[in-house]
Amino acid sequence: MNGGIGRDAALRRPVGAARQPYLNVRWFGRMEFARALELQEELVAKRRENALLEDQLLLLEHEPVYTIGRTPDRSSLLGSDHLPHPLFSINRGGQATYHGPGQLMGYPIIDLRRCGEDLHKYLRWLEQLLIDLLVRYDIAAQRRVSLTGVWVENRKIASIGVGVRHWITMHGFALNVCGDLSSFDHIVPCGINNVAITSMEKETKKSFTVAEVASTLEKLALDSIVSLRVSPETQLINA
């Protein structure tokens, strides 16, 4: 992974994929939310202008922040005047959530025109990527019907909220790795009442670093991105 965990992604390109833009995974460490949002905007604009650019997966941590998606219903904020951290209204789906230290953020900048223009398939790909990651740490995670995200029994361990512009994705997922989860108590996480929030640390009683988990996720993302893409022939038909 570029930016600190580093591997040569080109070495893992599947045979016959040389003509396909691949996935450039980058680790940024701790980054302010506003800067991450600005970076995503820049990459989406560049991706739209140049279809030959590689897709990106940005991995990082945030300073404490709340976000809420495009919705007139802001009841999940429980009164934004009393939130202990800054609030950002952003162009993703979904209700309020919290991001902060100990949480692995993943922001894929992926051209869904190369993936059949199928948003549902993309969301399921994100969920499966996180489920497969958690298996590596002996955590049996799963989907729940009609509730986007990843769960351990009835406890939510990862949230997913995406934005799409001209079939190019931004925003993505937040996986609770370790650390204090009490900031979730000030909102209704993802608009789900009485939801229990958990983390990899809580589920296993073991210590993890976000950088360590990011490195494992990198390998899985590079291996699984081909399952999201459609063949060049199909792309031409859909163009």
Side-chain angles (χ1 to χ4, degrees), residues 141-183:
Q142 62 205 14
R143 299 181 178 91
R144 291 183 68 181
V145 176
S146 76
L147 294 173
T148 299
V150 178
W151 303 75
V152 181
E153 297 178 350
N154 63 342
R155 302 177 295 281
K156 194 166 191 180
I157 195 167
S159 300
I160 293 174
V162 304
V164 180
R165 292 182 182 173
H166 305 282
W167 290 111
I168 300 169
T169 68
M170 60 185 297
H171 304 300
F173 63 81
L175 172 65
N176 302 325
V177 176
C178 58
D180 184 13
L181 300 175
S182 63
S183 290

Side-chain angles (χ1 to χ4, degrees), residues 34-205:
R35 173 57 189 138
L37 184 58
E38 180 183 25
L39 178 59
Q40 289 181 78
E41 299 274 6
E42 293 171 0
L43 291 172
V44 167
K46 289 178 180 177
R47 194 70 177 83
R48 185 185 175 196
E49 293 170 3
N50 186 352
L52 297 179
L53 291 177
E54 289 185 329
D55 290 333
Q56 307 272 338
L57 174 57
L58 317 181
L59 299 177
L60 48 99
E61 282 183 275
H62 282 313
E63 301 294 343
V65 66
Y66 295 100
T67 69
I68 190 168
R70 302 178 302 261
T71 174
D73 176 11
R74 299 170 72 86
S75 59
S76 60
L77 292 173
L78 295 179
S80 57
D81 292 340
H82 305 290
L83 293 176
H85 308 302
L87 171 67
F88 286 80
S89 297
I90 58 176
N91 64 321
R92 62 159 171 82
Q95 287 283 344
T97 193
Y98 164 76
H99 304 312
Q103 193 178 70
L104 174 60
M105 302 299 304
Y107 293 137
I109 311 297
I110 291 178
D111 189 344
L112 292 184
R113 292 171 296 184
R114 298 184 176 275
C115 306
E117 297 184 356
D118 189 336
L119 182 58
H120 177 81
K121 179 181 178 181
Y122 172 63
L123 291 171
R124 303 294 81 78
W125 177 77
L126 287 177
E127 289 172 340
Q128 193 60 51
L129 178 64
L130 293 169
I131 290 169
D132 291 345
L133 170 71
L134 291 166
V135 166
R136 299 292 182 95
Y137 295 92
D138 298 320
I139 300 172
Q142 62 205 14
R143 299 181 178 91
R144 291 183 68 181
V145 176
S146 76
L147 294 173
T148 299
V150 178
W151 303 75
V152 181
E153 297 178 350
N154 63 342
R155 302 177 295 281
K156 194 166 191 180
I157 195 167
S159 300
I160 293 174
V162 304
V164 180
R165 292 182 182 173
H166 305 282
W167 290 111
I168 300 169
T169 68
M170 60 185 297
H171 304 300
F173 63 81
L175 172 65
N176 302 325
V177 176
C178 58
D180 184 13
L181 300 175
S182 63
S183 290
F184 282 102
D185 297 340
H186 298 271
I187 59 172
V188 179
C190 302
I192 305 172
N193 289 310
N194 301 315
V195 64
I197 301 296
T198 191
S199 67
M200 295 174 63
E201 183 179 65
K202 286 186 69 173
E203 292 299 321
T204 64
K205 305 298 188 291

Side-chain angles (χ1 to χ4, degrees), residues 7-47:
R7 286 172 184 78
D8 185 355
L11 293 179
R12 286 195 293 279
R13 294 191 181 190
V15 175
R19 297 193 313 168
Q20 287 279 74
Y22 204 55
L23 183 66
N24 182 19
V25 184
R26 292 193 279 169
W27 166 249
F28 290 89
R30 191 75 62 85
M31 179 183 285
E32 294 283 352
F33 182 84
R35 173 57 189 138
L37 184 58
E38 180 183 25
L39 178 59
Q40 289 181 78
E41 299 274 6
E42 293 171 0
L43 291 172
V44 167
K46 289 178 180 177
R47 194 70 177 83

